[in-house]
């Protein structure tokens, strides 16, 4: 059997609790609702995530262009020894963003989140969200697969990478990464700031005949010492 060759160590994260999650945004304002910031609880979750994962020296931290994801990722970036920016990419946008949302410029992201930079392959003139795309599982799965291919083509030397995105997007991403169908017989749960770790090995070198290993899913170790069981149940 070939010696395992690790190409990518990937950490997929859902953002912290947002104002939209908590039902604190007006539902008639699509843009405010779909691009809400973190609640005080969400800010605390993101801070704890950043403190816990400061022990890992990430090669890259990416996020969607939506406020709650960039804000969460920034709390990790600011506590890193080496990586102090968040690369924003529209591929990681939450699924089914309303067409009423329109576009989002990088200037808008940068004004609110000074740690943000355009991801490799993006320019400041681009649109940083995917809105108004077909609201169907096939379209969501296709974009998640595109995001996976983007990461696999860019990172192949054992880099440690964190991606902060969204619950529905992360679900389709994990389906694609694990070679599952668009609608498997089970679902994945992604709690706020919970982390899923995947290892990607060079083809033919992964252990047990698999080149993608799911190490853990929806881990919230960073929250356990700080919250009661009652709070953890709703995260």
């Amino acid at each position: 059997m070939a010696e395992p060759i690790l190409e990518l160590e990937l950490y997929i994260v859902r953002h912290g609790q947002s104002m939209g999650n908590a039902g604190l945004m007006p539902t008639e304002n699509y843009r405010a609702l779909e691009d809400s910031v973190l609640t005080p609880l969400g800010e605390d979750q993101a801070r704890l995530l950043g403190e816990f994962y400061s022990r890992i020296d990430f090669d890259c931290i990416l996020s969607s262009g939506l406020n709650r994801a960039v804000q969460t990722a920034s709390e990790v970036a600011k506590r890193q020894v080496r990586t102090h920016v968040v690369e924003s990419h529209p591929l990681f946008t939450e699924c089914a963003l309303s067409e009423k949302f329109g576009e989002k410029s990088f200037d808008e992201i940068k004004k609110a989140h000074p740690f943000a930079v355009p991801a490799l392959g993006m320019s400041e003139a681009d649109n940083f969200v995917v809105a108004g795309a077909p609201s169907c599982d096939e379209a969501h799965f296709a974009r998640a697969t595109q995001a996976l291919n983007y990461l696999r083509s860019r990172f192949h030397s054992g880099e440690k990478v964190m991606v902060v995105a969204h619950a529905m997007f992360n679900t389709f991403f994990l389906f694609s990464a694990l070679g599952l169908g668009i609608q498997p017989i089970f679902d994945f749960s992604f709690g706020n700031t919970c982390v899923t770790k995947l290892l990607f090995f060079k083809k033919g070198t992964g252990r047990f005949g698999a080149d993608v290993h799911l190490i853990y899913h929806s881990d919230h170790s960073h929250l356990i010492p700080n919250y009661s069981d009652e709070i953890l149940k709703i995260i």
Side-chain angles (χ1 to χ4, degrees):
M1 179 180 293
E3 185 70 21
I5 301 174
L6 180 64
E7 293 189 329
L8 173 61
E9 183 175 318
L10 183 63
Y11 298 77
I12 302 294
V13 185
R14 184 189 180 193
H15 58 81
Q17 185 194 62
S18 70
M19 300 291 282
N21 291 158
L24 300 175
M25 300 299 295
T27 56
E28 66 274 8
N29 188 332
Y30 283 91
R31 192 174 181 89
L33 178 65
E34 295 186 325
D35 199 14
S36 58
V37 297
L38 300 181
T39 63
L41 174 60
E43 291 175 351
D44 196 46
Q45 293 168 346
R47 175 184 61 81
L48 293 170
L49 176 74
E51 290 174 355
F52 188 87
Y53 279 92
S54 64
R55 68 192 71 187
I56 294 180
D57 185 15
F58 287 108
D59 295 283
C60 185
I61 299 172
L62 297 107
S63 80
S64 80
L66 296 173
N67 282 322
R68 55 196 183 275
V70 187
Q71 192 177 355
T72 301
S74 295
E75 290 298 316
V76 180
K78 70 172 61 173
R79 292 173 172 84
Q80 287 286 294
V81 173
R82 184 165 54 95
T83 302
H84 293 289
V85 298
V86 175
E87 295 192 26
S88 181
H89 202 297
L91 280 175
F92 306 113
T93 304
E94 178 60 309
C95 300
L97 197 66
S98 170
E99 63 180 3
K100 296 180 181 180
F101 187 95
E103 297 187 351
K104 186 171 186 179
S105 69
F106 180 73
D107 283 346
E108 187 177 347
I109 296 173
K110 189 68 174 179
K111 285 177 182 177
H113 310 289
F115 287 89
V117 298
L120 186 68
M122 298 293 296
S123 77
E124 294 189 7
D126 290 327
N127 172 25
F128 279 78
V129 296
V130 177
S135 184
C136 63
D137 289 350
E138 288 76 11
H140 302 328
F141 187 85
R143 177 156 61 85
T145 300
Q146 186 180 357
L148 174 62
N149 291 338
Y150 169 81
L151 294 171
R152 294 304 312 275
S153 65
R154 182 175 169 186
F155 304 108
H156 39 72
S157 300
E159 293 94 337
K160 295 178 174 64
V161 176
M162 175 176 280
V163 174
V164 181
H166 308 267
M168 190 184 302
F169 172 84
N170 286 354
T171 298
F172 284 104
F173 184 92
L174 200 49
F175 288 171
S176 181
L178 296 178
L180 302 174
I182 295 174
Q183 295 179 321
I185 60 174
F186 60 89
D187 197 3
F188 291 104
S189 174
F190 288 89
N192 290 124
T193 69
C194 291
V195 184
T196 296
K197 180 179 179 180
L198 295 162
L199 298 181
F200 295 87
F201 293 91
K202 184 177 180 179
K203 187 174 182 179
T205 71
R207 292 187 176 93
F208 315 114
D211 296 327
V212 182
H213 291 192
L214 176 61
I215 305 304
Y216 51 77
H217 170 62
S218 204
D219 179 73
H220 60 278
S221 298
H222 56 290
L223 301 177
I224 291 173
N226 302 278
Y227 294 116
S228 67
D229 289 343
E230 289 72 22
I231 292 294
L232 290 173
K233 286 177 183 178
I234 65 173
I235 291 173

